Amino acid sequence: MKIVSRNEELLRDALPCTPQPGSRTSLASCNKLLRFEDIRAAAFKIQSGVQKTPCMYSRLSKQCGMDIYLKKEFLQYTGSVKERGVLYLLMSLPQEQQRRGVVVAVDSSFSLAVAHQGSALRVPVLAVAPAGAAGRARLCREFGAALITHGASARDARLHARRLAQENGYLYLEEEDSAVYLSGLGTVGLEMYEQVPKLDAVVFPAGGHCGLLAGSAAALKHLNPQISVIGVESESFPVLQQSLKAGHPTEDQACNNHHFYGDVSGVCFGNNSLQLTGKLVDKVVAVREEDILISMLRLLEYERATVDAEGAIALAALLAGKLPELKGKRVAVVICSGNLELHLLQQCIARALTLDNRVCRFSLVISDCPGDMSKLLEILAREEARVLDIKQERTFVTSELFTVQVICTVETRDKIHAAQLRNALLERYPTTAWTER
């Protein structure tokens, strides 16, 4: 959490020390940064304000060859695990500051959590939204925040929110890694340990905002050091692995404001989270964008769960075979967020179906004579392929005269079904061109 006020800091970090970039700390000293007692106290205080989400056995277990339990944090009221840290953060503010209120920029799920939990605690919240954040701005207003619009980007909104805080003596909140915030997030680790006996491993989303990973690792490793704690980030933006290697937080400018990756992209936001991750997390792996999309599709099909990239990225590592050492073990996976805009959801599902060989496209040339099109449709019907779209091109065909190029999009069951259809078409139409993914 960042604090900006006119006179003095209104809330001091509970962390007794902050490791400097490049410094080396022992496991004992690192554990002092976030005590198990702090996480347990947070769990007691926030229990009436957040959902104790289920950690349920998944039907994807057989597919992956392990017992998978999904911690469904996307079921929180604002669709994000960040409600836990935000609630404990707001409850820890002095009463005078709670009365005066806080300022937040509408740039992530964190801002939605502040708006909702602030309203629940009767803490006034002023949200500053950029022009392009209409969806989240509307939600912040519905959750009870006072809303103003400023600037065209999230950066513009953050700068204006800071300026308002400085000029008026308000408290500006931005997601960081104070002990209070990490303690709230760490309650996820406590709950999973209680809900799933004999856990072998827990897989978390990582990336830029690794507070959930760090806080929960502190809880799990205290309760049972033998539990493997694994973080998963995007292969395109491996900011956590880069930061761990460098010894201090780094930022990949290419991933800023990336709508698909959202809160898992950007700067690795704090030395404290980074040091805890380096000491307590057993492994950090990276997955491709294609793996995340397939994970989103599997969660929608098997769990009826609509999640975003941050929510799907941990499971993606298991589905993509990135963690073969977990075969046959009991593994909990955190599905932490479900804040995906509808237009982006539509694009993601369409792309995932193509990647999963469920939607295919091909082109071929047939004679422009009566009955030839019906013969093609007969083959598609015989192979049980559902036609989604079919187009005919006559004018710009470069082959022989009186022919027509047919471009067809069909729905298939899986990769095997798609291959059978392809072979059947090639047998009848040797010039069939299959559009690669």
Side-chain angles (χ1 to χ4, degrees), residues 108-423:
S108 66
S109 297
F110 179 82
S111 56
L112 299 180
V114 172
H116 169 60
Q117 294 296 350
S119 177
L121 294 173
R122 297 186 179 180
V123 176
V125 177
L126 174 61
V128 182
R136 278 180 172 162
R138 176 179 52 81
L139 287 174
C140 280
R141 185 188 292 113
E142 291 178 357
F143 291 151
L147 182 72
I148 62 173
T149 303
H150 181 88
S153 67
R155 182 175 181 274
D156 294 336
R158 287 193 293 267
L159 291 174
H160 189 63
R162 289 193 187 101
R163 185 159 53 247
L164 288 175
Q166 290 173 337
E167 292 173 354
N168 299 283
Y170 297 146
L171 184 66
Y172 169 67
L173 297 184
E174 185 174 79
E175 188 174 13
E176 277 202 343
D177 63 345
S178 67
V180 175
Y181 185 63
L182 294 183
S183 297
L185 294 177
T187 59
V188 174
L190 282 182
E191 286 186 9
M192 285 189 295
Y193 185 80
E194 295 173 357
Q195 292 170 317
V196 185
K198 299 179 181 178
L199 265 178
D200 294 307
V202 182
V203 186
F204 292 91
H209 298 305
C210 56
L212 172 63
L213 173 64
S216 296
L220 289 165
K221 288 296 186 180
H222 176 90
L223 292 165
N224 183 358
Q226 302 305 313
I227 295 177
S228 295
V229 178
I230 299 167
V232 185
E233 64 180 347
S234 167
E235 196 174 87
S236 302
F237 313 117
V239 289
L240 179 55
Q241 294 182 69
Q242 291 173 359
S243 299
L244 289 169
K245 186 176 180 179
H248 60 83
T250 62
E251 184 172 6
D252 189 334
Q253 294 293 338
C255 66
N256 285 345
N257 299 321
H258 197 293
H259 295 299
F260 175 66
Y261 289 101
D263 293 355
V264 296
S265 64
V267 65
C268 187
F269 67 76
N271 283 303
N272 300 315
S273 293
L274 187 63
Q275 293 296 329
L276 283 167
T277 300
K279 294 298 180 181
L280 301 177
V281 174
D282 298 278
K283 189 176 184 179
V284 178
V285 298
V287 294
R288 303 173 304 158
E289 182 175 298
E290 291 85 351
D291 300 328
I292 301 172
L293 288 169
I294 291 295
S295 179
M296 293 170 66
L297 180 62
R298 294 288 182 268
L299 284 166
L300 185 60
E301 282 189 301
Y302 285 80
E303 301 293 335
R304 297 297 183 260
T306 305
V307 303
D308 53 22
E310 186 181 13
I313 196 169
L315 180 64
L318 300 181
L319 294 173
K322 297 286 185 177
L323 300 168
E325 68 273 19
L326 299 183
K327 292 285 186 180
K329 296 187 177 181
R330 295 169 70 88
V331 183
V333 180
V334 181
I335 312 298
C336 67
S337 178
N339 289 324
L340 190 64
E341 296 181 10
L342 289 178
H343 74 278
L344 190 56
L345 171 63
Q346 185 179 18
Q347 295 178 47
C348 289
I349 296 304
R351 178 62 173 157
L353 287 170
T354 304
L355 291 168
D356 201 33
N357 293 283
R358 308 270 288 280
V359 174
C360 307
R361 178 175 292 174
F362 61 87
S363 64
L364 49 81
V365 177
I366 62 175
S367 172
D368 193 11
C369 296
D372 278 20
M373 177 61 73
S374 62
K375 292 177 182 178
L376 170 62
L377 295 176
E378 286 175 6
I379 294 174
L380 296 177
R382 186 176 68 245
E383 296 298 328
E384 299 180 341
R386 178 169 174 257
V387 178
L388 300 178
D389 183 55
I390 189 165
K391 296 178 181 179
Q392 301 179 61
E393 177 59 61
R394 290 178 171 83
T395 306
F396 297 98
V397 177
T398 58
S399 59
E400 61 186 85
L401 197 61
F402 304 119
T403 59
V404 58
Q405 182 185 38
V406 178
I407 303 171
C408 190
T409 304
V410 298
E411 180 181 337
T412 53
R413 290 188 297 273
D414 49 32
K415 187 176 182 179
I416 296 175
H417 186 204
Q420 291 173 349
L421 174 62
R422 187 173 186 173
N423 292 334

